[in-house]
Amino acid sequence: DAKTTQPTSMDCAEGRAANLPCNHSTISGNEYVYWYRQIHSQGPQYIIHGLKNNETNEMASLIITEDRKSSTLILPHATLRDTAVYYCISGSSASKIIFGSGTRLSIRP
Amino acid sequence: DAGVIQSPRHEVTEMGQEVTLRCKPISGHDYLFWYRQTMMRGLELLIYFNNNVPIDDSGMPEDRFSAKMPNASFSTLKIQPSEPRDSAVYFCASSSRQGISSYGYTFGSGTRLTVV
């Protein structure tokens, strides 16, 4: 599985868009980019994933650069409940998911 | 759907005792994963099953750890004998082959294990 790098921590004002970057420069052609988050004391929660096109669902948007070496997860209107550790992971759909250290996102009122 | 169900939620045991953690995956899911989370090492994949068969157990720390999946609706992770360094939160997750490409893994609420 390709390795990803993320900032250790970020913060964002409530109501603003939270943009979480991720670098995956060694990603291969058949590997997806997955995002999960883990709210304190809970199990990780799937957010979104993509291969090369931008994706949007009810939780977030995923923007993947044309060369696929990096991506950004966007939470359009952050709330206090979005405070969590966000994990960016790359891998194929048939492979196991390996979690890195993630980004600790704090939402300030 | 009740989601992935793990039991117990909390377990406190003495060093040297056997510990059994349980997991019921979502009905219809044919992949099951066991993870361990500690402050020092983060989330580590221990083992995963496909159609009840262990596929990759390279993350199992040592022979004291064993996992089974006797049927599609039940899996256990056993530690015998337990040691204080096994203290962690253990998560179970499940998915289907189609689901991995659509909605990823679904995780349970975890079992917090404390070995004293």
Side-chain angles (χ1 to χ4, degrees), chain A residues 36 38 43 46 49 93 96-97, chain B residues 35 37 56 100-101 103 105:
Chain A
Y36 284 75
Q38 187 174 25
Y46 166 83
H49 77 284
S93 62
K96 55 195 180 186
I97 286 183
Chain B
Y35 286 84
Q37 186 170 35
D56 185 344
I100 290 173
S101 300
Y103 51 78
Y105 298 3

Side-chain angles (χ1 to χ4, degrees), chain A residues 35-93:
Chain A
W35 283 85
Y36 284 75
R37 74 179 181 184
Q38 187 174 25
I39 296 170
H40 182 60
S41 300
Q42 299 181 21
Q45 175 191 24
Y46 166 83
I47 301 173
I48 198 168
H49 77 284
L51 185 62
K52 51 185 176 181
N53 296 323
N54 298 338
E55 302 287 345
T56 296
N57 63 20
E58 65 278 4
M59 290 183 69
S61 295
L62 175 60
I63 308 298
I64 303 174
T65 58
E66 194 168 337
D67 62 8
R68 302 208 326 121
K69 293 185 177 182
S70 65
S71 61
T72 301
L73 177 75
I74 301 172
L75 308 178
H77 304 287
T79 71
L80 297 177
R81 288 176 294 180
D82 292 322
T83 294
V85 178
Y86 288 77
Y87 297 97
C88 170
I89 302 149
S90 59
S92 69
S93 62

Side-chain angles (χ1 to χ4, degrees), chain B residues 84-109:
Chain B
R85 61 191 167 123
D86 301 330
S87 298
V89 181
Y90 291 80
F91 289 103
C92 176
S94 72
S95 189
S96 63
R97 178 61 180 258
Q98 181 181 4
I100 290 173
S101 300
S102 301
Y103 51 78
Y105 298 3
T106 302
F107 281 78
S109 299

Side-chain angles (χ1 to χ4, degrees), chain A residues 7-26:
Chain A
T8 303
S9 63
M10 295 181 64
D11 66 67
C12 177
E14 190 176 19
R16 304 299 293 269
N19 298 287
L20 291 87
C22 178
N23 287 322
H24 31 81
S25 58
T26 59

Side-chain angles (χ1 to χ4, degrees), chain B residues 62-74:
Chain B
E62 48 196 277
D63 292 346
R64 297 185 297 105
F65 285 69
S66 63
K68 294 182 179 179
M69 192 163 186
N71 57 61
S73 60
F74 184 65

